[in-house]
Amino acid sequence: TAGTSGAVGELVNASFETGNTTGWTVAPAEALVAKHVYVQWPAGGSSVPDGNYELSTWHQTAAFATEISQTVTGLEDGTYTFKAYFTRGDGFNEVSLFARNCGGAEVTPETIPLTDPTQWLAVSLAGIEVAGGSCEVGVRVDSNPENWMNADLFTFEKEE
């Protein structure tokens, strides 16, 4: 499973196979308590790109904004790509991949497009300049009630 070893320079719990968000920071933390962000088995008999679990965001009655991120350390200086697989419904204000505090030029977040309910789409944020050994990467979600998003198999790899 990609990125699950927790070795230096790799994402921890990249496919959420711990069954929770271990290794990731959810901000605000109340998003976990309110169940805006959670880890689940795929709903409706669908599958996931890797393993058995997926990261999900949804709430029936509340609008919310959250970030799920991780700071990767021990990185060689260079250019990296942050990638994940997504499936999501319509109506969001924003769903995007981001990288920040990487020591190089800031990169514009990559918007995650609308998909069919059972379609997993790979979305990449390329050209992330890392200098100084660390980089924070994640996904930002600004949701209206009943908007859903699922994510799986996050990777952060040095470009050739």
Side-chain angles (χ1 to χ4, degrees), residues 2-6 10-26 32 37-40 53-56 68-72 137 154:
T4 58
S5 71
E10 293 185 2
L11 293 169
V12 175
N13 196 19
S15 289
F16 303 91
E17 293 308 298
T18 61
N20 57 42
T21 57
T22 297
W24 296 87
T25 299
V26 177
L32 289 168
V37 177
Y38 51 94
V39 175
Q40 68 175 7
Y53 292 95
E54 63 190 8
L55 175 72
S56 298
I68 301 100
S69 65
Q70 191 169 138
T71 299
V72 185
V137 293
F154 285 81

Side-chain angles (χ1 to χ4, degrees), residues 68-146:
I68 301 100
S69 65
Q70 191 169 138
T71 299
V72 185
T73 60
L75 298 169
E76 295 178 7
D77 288 356
T79 306
Y80 288 76
T81 296
F82 180 47
K83 176 180 169 183
Y85 290 80
F86 294 90
T87 182
R88 76 170 189 89
D90 201 4
F92 284 92
N93 297 316
E94 179 184 12
V95 182
S96 61
L97 282 178
F98 67 85
R100 62 183 174 221
N101 304 319
C102 303
E106 291 297 316
V107 293
T108 302
E110 184 67 35
T111 299
I112 298 160
L114 179 67
T115 67
D116 291 329
T118 59
Q119 174 194 11
W120 284 94
L121 179 66
V123 179
S124 297
L125 178 60
I128 302 165
E129 296 176 25
V130 173
S134 68
C135 184
E136 181 185 3
V137 293
V139 60
R140 179 178 300 118
V141 178
D142 185 350
S143 180
N144 295 301
E146 297 189 5

